[in-house]
């Protein structure tokens, strides 16, 4: 979008990639990737890097000026879209960085022998990926390339790699005897892990949809804190409730499509990952991953929190109950993708939950036009009501109520 709408450095999308999403070679979370002698754990480490020998995979870092002050951003195949990857608290670059190794000690059960340590797929750390608005393109053979400005990300090259290596950087004990690289080496010229099939890569291929600027909306304001009037457990247990109104403001291109069908812009309010887990245990999540009520953060761990009470979302114009978005809150559909050693496709085609059941509502529903701050764009105000009341099961106990949620606007 225009920099007036989407300033340089804007984080356009973010996601957490769990290692168990890797399905190549028919892998599962329990698949053993590496086996070492017990005692080697003091000398081994993971190494992670961007794909430092690929212009669109992590070879060229975007300057802070061109990334709006953001650091650790690399060019991708998508026009004006940079990528920042973080693992183990470290922002990945083309230089191999060490990441601590998780493992299990062998007991002779489930393929891990006594005297060994086993590193399974589930032991790989999560990877955080952020797409960031930039203003330049990488130059390849003096030609400004990336052609992708709208549609499915079609470049198959990886964006990052992880491998197993030594902490000792070639000095002292060398428990990793197969091909690997060393801490601090540049992936542009060092990739010994590749021939040894030591590790695996991460890619944006078939996993990102770039949307046309003409079909774009974004949130510009949301009430930061919603305070409820004080009440007590007796009132809530008797069917009483307290409420508070709040609002969200959204700015849309005048050509944007509004609705909950494919290709349309919809809005929803998403519960946090910890709250989503608690909601599942409380029976508040439907088959479309929508959540009927928002419980407090750390609901099951914090003893100072009120129990069996939650926040419900209501359309104040119709008094209709609304669902919250669950996790991960992804939208649209992605095609099936093949891979090495898989039976059929490694990754099946997927369509993410949509519509009101999933917590998505049309931006045109209950929206009030409040201005045109930028030419070609319209600013909408969307009112909501939060209602604090008793959950269907259990008895309310006194305590604090503190919950956080995220306003999301996405193309479906």
């Amino acid at each position: 979008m225009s920099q007036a709408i989407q300033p340089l450095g804007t984080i356009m999308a973010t996601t957490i990639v769990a290692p168990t999403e890797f399905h190549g070679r028919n892998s599962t979370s329990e698949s053993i990737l590496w086996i070492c002698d017990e005692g080697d754990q003091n000398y081994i480490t993971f190494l992670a890097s961007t794909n430092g020998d690929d212009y669109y995979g992590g070879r060229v870092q975007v300057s802070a000026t061109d990334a709006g002050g953001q650091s650790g951003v690399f060019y991708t195949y998508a026009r004006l879209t940079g990528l920042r990857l973080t693992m183990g608290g470290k922002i990945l670059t083309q230089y191999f960085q060490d990441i601590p190794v998780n493992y299990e000690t062998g007991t002779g059960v489930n393929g891990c022998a006594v005297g060994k340590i086993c590193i399974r797929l589930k032991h790989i750390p999560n990877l955080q990926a952020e797409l960031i608005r930039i203003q330049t393109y990488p130059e390849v053979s003096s030609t400004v390339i990336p052609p992708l400005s709208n549609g499915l990300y079609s470049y198959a090259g990886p964006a990052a790699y992880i491998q197993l290596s030594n902490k000792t950087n070639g000095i002292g004990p060398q428990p990793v005897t197969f091909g690997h690289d060393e801490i601090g080496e540049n992936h542009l010229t060092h990739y010994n892990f590749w021939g040894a099939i030591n590790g695996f890569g991460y890619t944006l291929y078939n996993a990102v949809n770039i949307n046309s600027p003409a079909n774009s909306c974004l949130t510009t304001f949301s009430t930061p804190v919603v305070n409820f009037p004080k009440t007590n457990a007796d009132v809530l247990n008797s069917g009483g409730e307290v409420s508070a109104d709040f609002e969200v403001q959204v700015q849309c291109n005048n050509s944007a499509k509004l609705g909950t069908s494919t290709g349309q812009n919809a809005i929803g309010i998403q519960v946090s990952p910890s709250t989503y887990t608690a909601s599942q245990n409380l029976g508040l999540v439907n088959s479309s991953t929508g959540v009927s009520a928002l419980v407090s953060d750390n609901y099951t761990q914090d003893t100072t929190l009120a129990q069996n009470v939650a926040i419900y979302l209501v359309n104040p114009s119709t008094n209709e109950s609304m669902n919250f978005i669950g996790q991960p809150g992804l939208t649209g559909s992605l095609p099936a993708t093949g891979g090495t050693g898989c039976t059929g496709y490694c990754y099946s085609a997927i369509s993410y939950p949509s519509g009101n059941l999933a917590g998505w509502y049309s931006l045109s529903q209950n929206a009030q036009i409040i201005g045109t701050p930028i030419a070609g764009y319209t600013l909408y105000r969307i009112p909501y009501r939060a209602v604090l009341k008793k959950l269907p099961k259990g008895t309310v106990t006194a305590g604090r109520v503190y919950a956080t949620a995220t306003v999301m606007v996405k193309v479906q």
Side-chain angles (χ1 to χ4, degrees):
M1 291 187 282
S2 160
Q3 288 188 36
I5 301 296
Q6 193 179 66
L8 298 182
T10 298
I11 297 176
M12 300 183 291
T14 183
T15 190
I16 300 296
V17 184
T20 49
E21 292 183 27
F22 178 72
H23 300 307
R25 304 180 187 276
N26 293 322
S27 299
T28 70
S29 64
E30 297 300 319
S31 295
I32 297 177
L33 304 184
W34 296 279
I35 299 175
C36 303
D37 291 333
E38 194 170 346
D40 286 346
Q41 63 265 40
N42 297 322
Y43 306 107
I44 59 174
T45 186
F46 289 132
L47 294 187
S49 74
T50 61
N51 187 8
D53 61 351
D54 188 322
Y55 279 103
Y56 304 125
R59 175 173 176 173
V60 186
Q61 190 163 351
V62 185
S63 71
T65 299
D66 290 337
Q70 300 275 17
S71 61
V73 182
F74 287 81
Y75 288 105
T76 71
Y77 189 62
R79 190 176 294 271
L80 303 178
T81 303
L83 176 66
R84 179 167 59 200
L85 300 171
T86 305
M87 179 180 281
K90 296 183 178 181
I91 296 175
L92 302 192
T93 71
Q94 64 270 50
Y95 298 94
F96 294 113
Q97 297 183 73
D98 55 313
I99 308 291
V101 175
N102 292 319
Y103 58 89
E104 70 179 56
T105 301
T107 61
V109 178
N110 200 13
C112 193
V114 175
K116 302 290 183 180
I117 60 171
C118 297
I119 305 168
R120 301 183 188 272
L121 182 61
K122 66 182 181 182
H123 292 136
I124 301 291
N126 286 342
L127 178 76
Q128 180 181 6
E130 299 170 291
L131 295 178
I132 295 173
R133 172 68 156 89
I134 60 177
Q135 71 171 349
T136 51
Y137 318 120
E139 290 191 9
V140 182
S141 301
S142 301
T143 304
V144 176
I145 292 191
L148 181 66
S149 58
N150 188 27
L152 188 65
Y153 197 93
S154 56
Y155 191 72
Y161 284 103
I162 189 168
Q163 60 172 293
L164 188 68
S165 184
N166 296 317
K167 288 181 181 179
T168 51
N169 244 20
I171 302 172
Q174 294 290 302
V176 181
T177 57
F178 47 83
H180 63 85
D181 299 285
E182 304 290 351
I183 299 170
E185 288 183 334
N186 190 339
H187 186 190
L188 173 63
T189 54
H190 293 80
Y191 30 82
N192 292 329
F193 75 96
W194 178 264
I197 318 179
N198 170 22
F200 55 84
Y202 297 80
T203 180
L204 299 178
Y205 176 67
N206 274 2
V208 176
N209 272 300
I210 304 299
N211 193 50
S212 166
N215 188 31
S216 297
C217 297
L218 76 161
T219 55
T220 59
F221 171 82
S222 60
T223 304
V225 179
V226 181
N227 291 308
F228 292 98
K230 286 188 176 181
T231 186
N232 60 60
D234 290 340
V235 170
L236 297 174
N237 281 319
S238 300
E241 59 187 43
V242 291
S243 64
D245 290 347
F246 66 100
E247 68 177 63
V248 174
Q249 294 180 15
V250 178
Q251 195 162 267
C252 292
N253 187 294
N254 290 344
S255 299
K257 301 173 184 177
L258 309 183
T260 57
S261 299
T262 300
Q264 295 181 327
N265 284 273
I267 188 171
I269 301 179
Q270 185 185 40
V271 304
S272 68
S274 62
T275 296
Y276 184 68
T277 300
S279 299
Q280 289 177 305
N281 296 332
L282 292 167
L284 302 176
V285 180
N286 63 35
S287 59
S288 296
T289 70
V291 183
S292 60
L294 176 68
V295 298
S296 292
D297 298 348
N298 299 316
Y299 179 81
T300 57
Q301 290 86 30
D302 191 338
T303 57
T304 69
L305 295 172
Q307 296 293 297
N308 299 312
V309 63
I311 299 165
Y312 290 78
L313 194 61
V314 173
N315 181 333
S317 299
T318 62
N319 209 35
E320 174 189 8
S321 295
M322 306 172 70
N323 287 313
F324 292 91
I325 300 169
Q327 292 288 335
L330 300 177
T331 58
S333 59
L334 298 172
T337 300
T340 303
C342 294
T343 303
Y345 288 109
C346 283
Y347 305 91
S348 301
I350 185 170
S351 292
Y352 293 103
S354 61
N356 295 173
L357 277 176
W360 293 106
Y361 296 85
S362 172
L363 275 167
S364 62
Q365 179 178 320
N366 204 32
Q368 305 160 1
I369 296 177
I370 58 174
T372 55
I374 298 175
Y377 287 80
T378 299
L379 183 63
Y380 298 92
R381 174 184 177 271
I382 304 173
Y384 292 92
R385 179 166 296 144
V387 178
L388 182 69
K389 61 181 181 179
K390 178 183 176 297
L391 286 170
K393 298 179 181 179
T395 301
V396 176
T397 61
R400 298 181 304 116
V401 174
Y402 180 81
T404 56
T406 302
V407 178
M408 301 179 73
V409 172
K410 279 192 175 184
V411 176
Q412 303 298 288

